[in-house]
Amino acid sequence: MKKQKFILAIVLIVILLSSVVSFAGAQEKIRIAMLVKNLGNAFFEACRDGGLEASKELGGIEFIFQGPTTPTAEGQIEIIDSLIAQKVNAIVISANDVDALVPVCKRAMQSGITVISFDSGIAPEGRILHLAPSSSEFIGRSQVKMLANLIDYKGEIAILSASSQATNQNTWIEWMKEELKEPAYKDMSLVAVVYGDDLSDKSYREATGLFKSYPNLRGIISPTTVGIAATGKALEDAGKSGKIELTGLGLPSEMKQYIKNGTCRQMSLWNPIDLGYSSTYIAYKLIKGEFQGKEGEVMKVGRMGEIKIGSGNEAVMGEPYIFEKDNIDKFAEIY
Amino acid sequence: MNKENRKISLPNIIWQWEIILLFIFIMVVIINSNLSPYFLDYTNLMNTTFNFIEKAIIALPMMFVIICGDIDISVASIIALSSVFMGMASQAGVNTFGLVAIGLFAGSAAGFLNGFVITKFGIPAIAVTLGSMSLFRGIAYVILGDKAFTKYPIPFAYFGQGYIGNTMIPFELVLFLMLAIIFGIILHRTTIGRKVFAIGNNSTAARFSGIPVNRVRLIIFTVTGLCSGLASILLTSRIGSTRPNIASGWELEIITTVVLGGVAITGGKGNIFGVVISIFIIGFLKFGMGLINIPGKVMTIIIGLLLILAIMLPQLIERLKPKNSFGKVKK
């Protein structure tokens, strides 16, 4: 018995040692991790494709794509911890909570990792720069304009957002409220803002709840890809297509049928592939020291052209694009 | 079977659950360090403990609860409730010391409420804590709505982010190890511990032999609340923000840990070493899977399989055990 145990112990030690030795001296590629709000979200999968495109173009990059199963800050913190442990070179994050990720991202930066946020930002202390897909003011205002056109500037409207903590959605909603103060919208009133947490089933239930609570509802703005698709489905199921107008930010491939049948006549979005491409590109150039990430700097971001870093180290990628019956087919194939 | 004999004979030692757990733990370490060069790194291993120590601190009193034959599924909601109260106090300008007091008090009060309803009205713990689980989190949602508390005093960050002196040892980890020793001594070396086992084995018999069964259970639920309050302080301090969905789903992870640690879900059986090893098995397993970027959905599946295995193994072992003349072949 004793002898057997002795042999077992020796075997274990050998395996342990071999594992330590076998990894010495590997790793020369630059490793960039993209951390998104949650997995299984088509928008972020398109971002990933953009990241992969940039990695291929720049060369010598190992691209890691990660996200928690549910869109929580704790889930993202746990992943950032393991990315710090892996000593990746850069982390590119779309955050679930603007403040909660700051401590762990500070720690990442202290250990020499380049941290930038894209899409949904982290507070300035927790990142080098933030790449916003479009200017928040423009997005917020344009959503209201689109919906107003669809409902002839009259009636009750509601907003169906992502999680109540989502940085980007909350800023856009603020700008929507600003736009609604203009005299042109005096006959329109915002009756509710509800949160579907970027989960299809919850968004669907929240949308159905809106139809019931506000029988005079004329329009819904859903500034999130999960929310707008779920609302489209809810409108069809409830037979409200055409009675309640829907607009917002949606993925062409997911929204194609609703745009074609008139449930959602107009919506807009920037290109998530471009967003993933740009943020990965910028992260790489920051690691290489070719970009400084300072306010006022103009970055040459590959095929995207020039992107300027504005105040608060926020950079804006471009303006959202409007999708309608005429152009949806083309884009539905891309993303 | 006499005690001495049982201790000495080798097969019985090998079949002990804690030894099996230790073996699983070693396997997890070996496999992880083979899969990733970053696993066996002092700083990394220390830092990853942040992600599971808060749950571990609740697993300790949860072990007592389950040994007593009860269960408490409201612990994660107590975290949310305590965190919300601390957040409110912090907005009102309360200092770090005050916040800690509020967190601990809110947790204890919630735990006491659970224990009081359970023992006073004789309602099964699962029913009561199922209710309070929704109740406590409901209160958190009502108070916070769609907002978040994000202003906490700077010294408050130490509890969940700080290290002991200049070492890389997290404060949370040391706190947990101290608590584990205290809980271990109480469970295995004091009369209180023996009462807990007696209640779990047969609460009627325990009552007839003069053990104040309900008082012991009330204290255990209150302590569980207290520890949930403590975990809430650590978590709130670590992420510096309170949202109503904070710590959602943790109750199941905590119970999973305790059951994997060899505590019988039917009560009456359990060992502190098993639970402590189980905490590190799950923690390091998740960390290792994170290092090779396994998606969270797959991790959930693997942890689930591990738990099913943990529940099945003791039954299998019972069958495979070398039978001696007084061998227990039951069920």
Side-chain angles (χ1 to χ4, degrees), chain B residues 29-70:
Chain B
V29 171
I30 291 174
I31 292 170
N32 277 337
S33 45
N34 268 301
L35 289 177
S36 167
Y38 304 107
F39 182 79
L40 276 186
D41 176 289
Y42 176 67
T43 317
N44 289 348
L45 286 178
M46 283 296 158
N47 278 333
T48 192
T49 61
F50 280 113
N51 292 313
F52 59 83
I53 286 300
E54 290 129 12
K55 291 171 206 161
I57 282 175
I58 304 179
L60 297 172
M62 183 66 83
M63 183 173 74
F64 280 64
V65 171
I66 295 179
I67 291 175
C68 263
D70 288 321

Side-chain angles (χ1 to χ4, degrees), chain B residues 245-289:
Chain B
N245 72 349
I246 190 169
S248 44
W250 279 24
E251 61 279 334
L252 293 182
E253 289 185 47
I254 292 164
I255 294 168
T256 303
T257 310
V258 175
V259 173
L260 179 68
V263 176
I265 198 81
T266 45
K269 197 172 141 285
N271 183 307
I272 186 88
F273 292 109
V275 172
V276 172
I277 298 168
S278 149
I279 286 166
F280 283 94
I281 288 178
I282 294 184
F284 283 178
L285 187 63
K286 281 179 90 176
F287 175 58
M289 289 191 283

